[in-house]
Amino acid sequence: MSEPVRSESLVDIVTKRLEEAIVSGELAPGSRILEQSLAASLQVSRGPLREAIRRLEGRRLVERRQNIGVRVAELSPGDLSNLLVVREALEGMAARLAAQRMTPAEIDELERLLHEHADQEELRDGKAYLQASYDNDFHFRIIKASGNRQLEESLINDLYDLLRLYRARSSKAEGRAQKAWHEHVEIVAALRSGDPDRAEAVMRDHIRNARLSVEQMMPPAAHD
């Protein structure tokens, strides 16, 4: 994050920089946000930085604690496990609905997205599988394709950013990045088959594997 920010929309770009640093792990879960040093590294004033922090606070990527200040969001192992179990159920249902509603052209687009992801150097090297947010995110596309507003509200408006943080973390587990990509390929095949049972089962297996990867990465002393 040492490159200076030079743009017409300063707050938007600072917000994006911070989001990328959080999702990539450059700013680790639970780490303090030190405004003065961060503003200096981004070469911006503290005003735009504070507005960016407020935006990320609203998206639950950072949290403000009394007498501590602002920190990158962090869940206890128990809360994280519960959240990922909920994600498994909701995204399984999203895949079920998407299998019934997606057109062949939409599935072709999803497949093309995976081929773009396969070009990532970090993915090829097996280090991580990081996806850009929203339209370039495999899971986002499927959630939107479900056509269910309540699922969208829960998975996109309420949980999306926080889940993205831990999805990125799970992708860095040894051997997980390429396995996750191949599981995405299996999900596309299930969607193309039009079989809602298969689509839900494959999606749930994929998310369960991601959850187990995250749980295995948690320090033993941190477990509830």
Side-chain angles (χ1 to χ4, degrees), residues 19-36:
E19 178 189 356
E20 290 171 349
I22 291 169
V23 171
S24 70
E26 184 181 349
L27 291 173
S31 62
R32 288 188 64 191
I33 302 289
L34 302 174
E35 288 186 7
Q36 186 171 352

Side-chain angles (χ1 to χ4, degrees), residues 14-214:
V14 172
T15 302
K16 185 177 179 182
R17 289 278 185 87
L18 289 179
E19 178 189 356
E20 290 171 349
I22 291 169
V23 171
S24 70
E26 184 181 349
L27 291 173
S31 62
R32 288 188 64 191
I33 302 289
L34 302 174
E35 288 186 7
Q36 186 171 352
S37 61
L38 200 51
S41 71
L42 292 171
Q43 297 187 25
V44 297
S45 67
R46 292 175 75 170
L49 178 60
R50 284 174 176 165
E51 177 57 31
I53 288 171
R54 279 194 289 270
R55 289 186 183 183
L56 294 179
E57 189 177 359
R59 292 165 56 188
R60 299 173 62 185
L61 285 175
V62 301
E63 52 193 16
R64 196 178 302 273
R65 298 181 184 176
Q66 191 172 7
N67 301 323
I68 296 177
V70 179
R71 291 182 179 269
V72 176
E74 182 177 36
L75 295 175
S76 72
D79 286 343
L80 175 58
S81 181
N82 289 337
L83 177 63
L84 296 178
V85 167
V86 170
R87 180 197 174 203
E88 179 186 325
L90 294 180
E91 287 211 42
M93 179 56 65
R96 166 178 284 277
L97 294 174
Q100 297 170 310
R101 301 182 183 198
M102 288 185 80
T103 66
E106 289 173 328
I107 296 171
D108 288 344
E109 284 297 318
L110 196 59
E111 193 167 46
R112 274 193 283 272
L113 179 66
L114 287 187
H115 289 311
E116 291 176 11
H117 290 172
D119 289 334
Q120 294 178 11
E121 183 177 350
E122 286 189 318
L123 176 57
R124 289 199 306 268
D125 293 342
K127 294 179 180 178
Y129 182 4
L130 303 177
Q131 301 176 63
S133 57
Y134 302 106
D135 279 344
N136 288 317
D137 182 330
F138 179 82
H139 289 270
F140 178 86
R141 293 269 191 104
I142 293 173
I143 294 163
K144 294 293 289 185
S146 74
N148 186 295
R149 184 175 297 177
Q150 292 304 315
L151 277 176
E152 288 187 32
E153 286 287 328
S154 297
L155 287 167
I156 296 175
N157 295 348
D158 295 340
L159 301 176
Y160 180 76
D161 291 299
L162 192 57
L163 284 171
R164 242 184 111 228
L165 171 59
Y166 286 96
R167 283 169 51 200
R169 191 172 179 180
S170 77
S171 81
K172 295 180 181 179
E174 186 176 356
R176 180 62 195 153
Q178 292 179 353
K179 190 173 188 300
W181 186 86
H182 285 292
E183 288 170 2
H184 282 180
V185 172
E186 292 175 8
I187 291 168
V188 170
L191 293 171
R192 197 178 292 282
S193 75
D195 182 341
D197 290 337
R198 179 183 170 197
E200 179 174 3
V202 173
M203 177 64 83
R204 290 184 70 122
D205 284 345
H206 168 62
I207 294 173
R208 189 178 304 116
N209 290 338
R211 173 171 59 83
L212 294 173
S213 293
V214 172

